[in-house]
Amino acid sequence: MSADAAQLFSLDRQRFMPAPGARFACLDVETGHAPEEAVQSAIASWKPPANCTKLATIAEKRQEASERIREQSALLDVAPIICVGLQTDTEACEFNAMGACQVPTVPGWTVRHCGSERELLSALATWLDDHTDPATELVGHNIAGFDLLKLRGAYVRHGRALPGGLRVGAGGFQPLFDTMKMFRFFSPENRDNLFPGLDLICQTFALERPKQHISGADVPRLHAEGRFVEILLYNMGDVMATVSVYQRMTA
């Protein structure tokens, strides 16, 4: 093969080789309240503890469980995904399924407005397939206990194939870094704290958090009130804070 032919072959090969994925991809999922029928089903499925036999006590615990399920309905499997924030080592994108709204410009971020949860999942799958590869580390705060489970369940519920970075099975799992789980290795004071909040970690690491007037527990209520911009900005702030924590932990 001549030198010119070899150079052309190399150029053609580079043209069709996929670009390497991001070094890391940090994501955060926000959900709204579950539909009323799902809440009622969860309440109906509640069973009293085996050692609880008095009717009055059972009724009291049932009432407590009903209130808790309703308050935390955003954690139910069918609770809608309303937005997903994603940030890699090169870019950041916010996927919004709450409806069109005018979001203030946040440096480095683009916002994708999707018409439904299904459309969000489709756009997110394309983004993940385009920006990640098997070596990309998925990052998040409690990502192993909530975000990934929520996303996988939503794709299956909608009959959609999982994007590469979320697949499970014989091929193994994507590399994962959960800041909530890893914090115990950085704080003797919190080594036995299984569920440290992101604010606590930022405070411990002397990382300044954007001023927030809401927390994750407020998101379902804000969604019901139509306060979509506040949710999107909150979600972006959480992603950026998690990336800062991740970078400190892995520096």
Side-chain angles (χ1 to χ4, degrees):
M1 181 184 294
S2 68
D4 289 342
Q7 184 178 12
L8 288 173
F9 176 78
S10 177
L11 290 173
D12 283 340
R13 185 180 181 187
Q14 293 176 21
R15 186 179 301 122
F16 291 104
M17 287 180 64
R23 183 172 63 83
F24 70 86
C26 179
L27 64 87
D28 185 49
V29 173
E30 303 292 351
T31 58
H33 283 304
E36 178 61 24
E37 58 269 24
V39 174
Q40 292 293 343
S41 177
I43 292 174
S45 299
W46 179 85
K47 297 187 184 310
N51 62 349
C52 184
T53 56
K54 292 184 178 180
L55 294 179
T57 304
I58 292 175
E60 181 181 349
K61 290 189 176 296
R62 183 181 300 278
Q63 181 62 31
E64 292 174 354
S66 298
E67 293 174 359
R68 183 174 62 253
I69 290 169
R70 188 169 296 281
E71 289 173 0
Q72 300 178 357
S73 74
L75 300 179
L76 295 178
D77 285 346
V78 296
I81 294 174
I82 57 177
C83 66
V84 178
L86 270 162
Q87 183 176 347
T88 72
D89 44 320
T90 59
E91 61 184 284
C93 187
E94 180 75 25
F95 294 85
N96 166 37
M98 296 181 286
C101 55
Q102 192 66 34
V103 184
T105 300
V106 179
W109 284 78
T110 58
V111 179
R112 293 278 302 274
H113 295 291
C114 306
S116 62
E117 180 185 60
R118 184 179 180 85
E119 186 179 324
L120 180 151
L121 294 173
S122 179
L124 178 63
T126 299
W127 196 95
L128 287 171
D129 286 338
D130 289 345
H131 292 78
T132 66
D133 62 26
T136 301
E137 191 165 43
L138 298 182
V139 179
H141 190 75
N142 196 26
I143 187 175
F146 179 72
D147 303 271
L148 294 182
L149 307 184
K150 185 67 185 178
L151 285 171
R152 291 191 188 108
Y155 278 105
V156 171
R157 190 170 69 252
H158 284 279
R160 305 298 300 270
L162 293 173
L166 302 184
R167 290 177 191 154
V168 297
F173 292 85
Q174 195 81 5
L176 189 64
F177 193 100
D178 193 322
T179 56
M180 189 181 76
K181 292 180 177 295
M182 295 302 294
F183 182 52
R184 63 190 298 267
F185 298 108
F186 293 84
S187 172
E189 183 179 341
N190 291 280
R191 64 184 178 183
D192 297 323
N193 185 353
L194 299 180
F195 304 101
L198 185 57
D199 283 334
L200 171 63
I201 299 177
C202 287
Q203 181 181 356
T204 304
F205 288 175
L207 290 169
E208 186 177 355
R209 286 275 274 146
K211 291 184 179 180
Q212 301 278 11
H213 302 291
I214 63 174
S215 69
D218 298 316
V219 168
R221 173 180 58 80
L222 295 177
H223 179 242
E225 294 172 357
R227 295 161 65 179
F228 303 152
V229 172
E230 292 176 68
I231 295 172
L232 294 174
L233 293 177
Y234 168 78
N235 184 248
M236 292 181 196
D238 263 11
V239 172
M240 289 187 283
T242 304
V243 169
S244 296
V245 168
Y246 167 72
Q247 291 173 333
R248 286 287 180 93
M249 287 180 169
T250 59

